Amino acid sequence: MNLIPFLIICPLTFLAGLVDAIGGGGGLISLPAFLLAGLPPHAAIATNKLSSSVGTTVSTVRYCKNGFFNRVLAIPGILLALCGSFLGARLLLHTDDAVLKKMMMIILPVVAVIVLLDKKEPEYDHSFPTSKRMIIVCISAFIIGLYDGFYGPGTGTFLLLALTRLAHMDVRTASGNVKLINLSSNAAALATLLFSGYINAAYGLAGAVFCLAGHYLGSGLVIKNGSRIVRPVIILVLILLFIKVISGN
């Protein structure tokens, strides 16, 4: 067995879990980890779903046990995320590898910029109409679920932005709903891709274990200015990925 891919995947997925627990954006590290390990785009995205779903499950259970979610908004959000993610995963299966590589060169840095630059504290609006909030949550869950099924990195950040900035939810409740919606879109994509033959079980399970360890450590740390860790790690991993893609190795 070639151990080099595991030497790439294990530490980077651990960092992805750590980064995700601190400030979000772990997918910007975990997806490139599988690409750097030599998996083609379809296999990397599918395997990353297996790995990242574990960390998402753990954090979702933690939020739900503490009641940090809105049931009325969560249920339609979950259903629409399932639909969107299923369609996104089906679209992924019908997209050529060469097209995916070109898209990655554009999407990864754009998502990284959004994740790294968004530091403004959202404001909670008590007077915002519940009907409008429901519409925004539903539309956001479907569209971002579609993105998650097709690609993935930054999904949690995009959902949190939509629920806090557009639907004007408080951060704690929005975060719980984000976890539920994100877990649903992960599950739908994983189920759709499970029998596609693209998932590398050995890499995915190894990544899941280390991602879980990163989540566990990150959630237990009280870190001020977490971006001091998040930013350089994401930038370094993206640079390594671009070198790999450009070199064609």
Side-chain angles (χ1 to χ4, degrees):
M1 179 183 289
N2 186 3
L3 294 179
I4 293 178
F6 291 96
L7 294 177
I8 296 171
I9 291 167
C10 292
L12 286 181
T13 50
F14 173 80
L15 280 174
L18 186 71
V19 164
D20 218 35
I22 295 169
L28 291 167
I29 299 172
S30 59
L31 177 57
F34 293 109
L35 291 166
L36 290 168
L39 290 180
H42 281 91
I45 294 172
T47 305
N48 185 51
K49 289 296 176 193
L50 173 58
S51 173
S52 61
S53 292
V54 173
T56 305
T57 301
V58 171
S59 54
T60 301
V61 170
R62 185 183 65 186
Y63 270 94
C64 289
K65 284 178 67 177
N66 289 283
F68 297 156
F69 67 99
N70 184 314
R71 289 179 176 82
V72 175
L73 296 174
I75 294 173
I78 288 170
L79 293 175
L80 284 162
L82 287 169
C83 295
S85 184
F86 170 76
L87 292 174
R90 295 299 301 174
L91 180 61
L92 169 67
L93 293 175
H94 290 88
T95 305
D96 194 69
D97 250 10
V99 175
L100 277 178
K101 285 182 179 179
K102 292 177 182 178
M103 291 179 65
M104 284 179 179
M105 294 293 288
I106 299 171
I107 296 175
L108 272 173
V110 170
V111 174
V113 168
I114 294 172
V115 171
L116 295 175
L117 293 184
D118 180 64
K119 299 300 173 186
K120 183 181 177 183
E121 191 69 26
E123 297 180 2
Y124 175 49
D125 186 356
H126 291 273
S127 63
F128 195 77
T130 302
S131 58
K132 287 186 178 180
R133 184 170 285 146
M134 175 70 78
I135 292 170
I136 292 170
V137 169
C138 290
I139 293 174
S140 300
F142 179 78
I143 294 175
I144 299 174
L146 184 72
Y147 167 80
D148 192 28
F150 181 75
Y151 197 62
T155 296
T157 300
F158 294 150
L159 281 169
L160 190 60
L161 285 172
L163 269 56
T164 54
R165 302 293 171 77
L166 300 179
H168 297 283
M169 294 175 65
D170 67 277
V171 174
R172 190 173 69 174
T173 305
S175 295
N177 279 52
V178 164
K179 295 298 182 185
L180 284 166
I181 293 170
N182 198 5
L183 178 60
S184 303
S185 63
N186 271 346
L190 183 59
T192 306
L193 297 170
L194 199 57
F195 301 105
S196 66
Y198 285 118
I199 295 178
N200 186 307
Y203 291 178
L205 292 174
V209 170
F210 279 83
C211 182
L212 178 60
H215 266 274
Y216 180 80
L217 179 61
S219 61
L221 292 175
V222 180
I223 299 180
K224 294 181 179 179
N225 297 321
S227 60
R228 291 182 179 178
I229 296 175
V230 174
R231 291 169 183 264
V233 170
I234 290 177
I235 291 169
L236 175 61
V237 172
L238 288 177
I239 289 173
L240 290 174
L241 177 61
F242 277 116
I243 291 173
K244 175 181 172 57
V245 172
I246 292 170
S247 66
N249 295 321

